[in-house]
Amino acid sequence: MIVNERETPEGLLVAVCDEDVLGETFESDDISLTVTEDFYGGDEADENAVIESLSRATVANLVGRRAVELAVDEGFIDEGNVLEVGSTLHAQLLRMQ
């Protein structure tokens, strides 16, 4: 997986995607999702590093089956809030403090 962390005035923004979706565009009904290098590009990370980043995130955007399923399995994302966009999965996390 690929992880990109950015500090923002609102807190830590974490973007996570599967390696194979970077640069791809997915469409479903009225949704179009492009996984850009500018937003999702970052460092390769194993599951432990992704979990650590998500545990510190104020906001997170996830794309790809592996990334989203890991976030669901670890309790960061409720499965009912996962979107299927084309052939991939997408989820967002917002932690209120």
Side-chain angles (χ1 to χ4, degrees):
M1 288 172 279
I2 300 171
V3 175
N4 185 324
E5 294 185 357
R6 297 176 185 83
E7 281 296 337
T8 72
E10 292 79 26
L12 182 65
L13 168 62
V14 175
V16 181
C17 72
D18 293 357
E19 294 93 345
D20 63 336
V21 302
L22 190 62
E24 299 292 325
T25 297
F26 300 92
E27 296 182 348
S28 179
D29 297 324
D30 59 347
I31 299 172
S32 179
L33 174 65
T34 300
V35 188
T36 63
E37 177 74 33
D38 285 344
F39 189 79
Y40 287 95
D43 299 320
E44 287 188 31
D46 64 13
E47 289 185 357
N48 289 332
V50 170
I51 292 166
E52 197 274 325
S53 286
L54 291 175
S55 71
R56 296 182 294 108
T58 304
V59 176
N61 288 275
L62 302 104
V63 181
R65 291 196 177 274
R66 185 173 172 216
V68 172
E69 288 173 359
L70 175 63
V72 169
D73 291 345
E74 294 296 320
F76 294 107
I77 302 289
D78 183 276
E79 191 170 8
N81 294 322
V82 174
L83 296 176
E84 194 163 340
V85 183
S87 62
T88 198
L89 300 178
H90 173 61
Q92 295 181 325
L93 164 74
L94 174 61
R95 186 170 287 125
M96 303 299 283
Q97 297 178 352

